[in-house]
Amino acid sequence: MTTAKKNMLPPGLVNNLQEVLLSRKGGNSNTNNDEQQQKPDAITDSTETSTSASDENDNSKPVVLVTNGEGIDSLGLVYLVQALVRSGLYNVHVCAPQSDKSVSGHSVTVRETITVTPAEIDGATAYEVSGTPVDCVSLALSGALFSWSKPLLVISGINRGSSCGHHMFYSGVVAGAREALISGVPSLSISLNWKREESQESDFKDAVAVCLPLITAAIRDIEKGVFPKSCFLSIEIPTSPSANKGFKLTKQSMWRSAPNWLAVSANRHPSSAAHFMSNQQSLGLQLAQLSRDASAAGAARRISAQRQNVEVESVGAIKSDTNKVKKYFRLEFINKEQEEAEEYLDFKALDNGFVAVTPFSLCPQIEVDIQTAASDWISSALQVEQ
């Protein structure tokens, strides 16, 4: 069931989602049969590949640009591109990071040269970029890489892991869609709520089948001029895509994972430690430092053996010739226990098995009470200063 509560969304968007859901329910059996008959390997057929290649210059087909946050080799992107190519309806172009940039946020590469290399994805024109998702979209839309001036739609995904709540601020896949909207191009961000203990690679194929009707509807309405121009859509697919309960319009929640910084032992990462050592250090000084690290690690093990309830670790502390100590830390995110929340919030709908669809605007609306509180504070602060 498609529901909307306190969303203040355009009525046209609500109607479109309802229509997509109804059509998906009516055509599930055919979709599944098509998926079984048209496996991804089918697109490697030489005849079909040559046909797809000739279609790249077919101006009668709308151009769809695909990017992501996890890198061009990720299964979510590969299966999505294969499905778009198999449909035969679009000129599919790919511009994606060459490595994992899933938590790069809306960062761009400046004062550095990025490299762009052709990539092999049958039926699509693809490039891998040594930059962030925002770099990829910005470059693709600049006219410097592709011959076309603007795609009809930008799709960023499918990402491995949810981008709900505050994760949206860190998310590279969301940033790719946001950059497209900044450039005036309609866009979708798609993520799969991957769980290590439950999820499997085939879930990405199911996730593609779930979101394809919405992609088709978006392209149709963009061509008609009725797709919302003031926002992009973040689509969050539940852990078991094939068992989803339907689409639900949602709002961004305040949920986030707890950041946990861990001290990392330098002797556990000798390559990192060596990187920070000055090249001017003599071999004797390096060996002496390694000896001290080894002694510290040995002491830690002895103490640990004597007192099982105490964990001691030799934290990296490499001294350079300038006597500066470098320490090593690694950031991990720990999922917090979720509190009771309204059903229309993104993570709650996702947890309940719905496909959460959240519109994001470039001009976030400030709540009236927050605006009033900020105004009162600024007025009082200025009065004190005067």
Side-chain angles (χ1 to χ4, degrees), residues 277-306:
M277 286 185 178
S278 169
N279 291 331
Q280 304 302 317
Q281 284 181 297
S282 67
L283 178 61
L285 287 175
Q286 294 184 33
L287 290 175
Q289 181 62 56
L290 291 174
S291 176
R292 286 193 291 272
D293 285 344
S295 299
R301 285 194 295 272
R302 289 193 295 273
I303 294 175
S304 179
Q306 295 170 3

Side-chain angles (χ1 to χ4, degrees), residues 72-242:
I72 198 162
D73 294 324
S74 68
L75 287 178
L77 180 141
V78 171
Y79 288 146
L80 175 60
V81 171
Q82 288 178 346
L84 293 171
V85 169
R86 280 200 308 272
S87 73
L89 300 174
Y90 318 112
N91 282 334
V92 184
H93 291 69
V94 180
C95 189
Q98 67 182 20
S99 59
D100 189 351
K101 302 291 183 182
S102 54
V103 289
S104 59
H106 207 100
S107 61
V108 293
T109 303
V110 294
R111 293 184 292 275
E112 291 182 21
T113 300
I114 64 172
T115 59
V116 179
T117 308
E120 294 294 331
I121 302 182
D122 288 334
T125 303
Y127 292 95
E128 59 181 55
V129 179
S130 64
T132 67
V134 174
D135 289 330
C136 295
V137 174
S138 178
L139 175 62
L141 300 183
S142 70
L145 183 61
F146 296 111
S147 58
W148 38 260
S149 58
K150 183 184 292 186
L152 191 71
L153 176 69
V154 172
I155 306 173
S156 187
I158 297 173
N159 189 65
R160 183 190 300 257
S162 164
S163 299
C164 287
H166 283 184
H167 286 195
M168 182 270 293
F169 297 108
Y170 302 109
S171 172
V173 71
V174 171
R178 187 191 300 113
E179 181 66 19
L181 181 62
I182 291 173
S183 299
V185 180
S187 58
L188 306 174
S189 165
I190 309 174
S191 298
L192 170 64
N193 189 27
W194 180 275
K195 293 184 179 178
R196 187 178 302 175
E197 302 80 10
E198 304 175 30
S199 300
Q200 49 193 357
E201 292 182 352
S202 61
D203 290 333
F204 282 111
K205 294 182 181 179
D206 295 333
V208 170
V210 168
C211 64
L212 269 181
L214 190 58
I215 293 172
T216 302
I219 292 174
R220 179 197 65 208
D221 288 349
I222 292 169
E223 291 179 321
K224 291 181 179 179
V226 295
F227 188 81
K229 294 182 175 64
S230 58
C231 67
F232 70 91
L233 301 182
S234 173
I235 304 167
E236 299 286 330
I237 301 173
T239 305
S240 299
S242 59

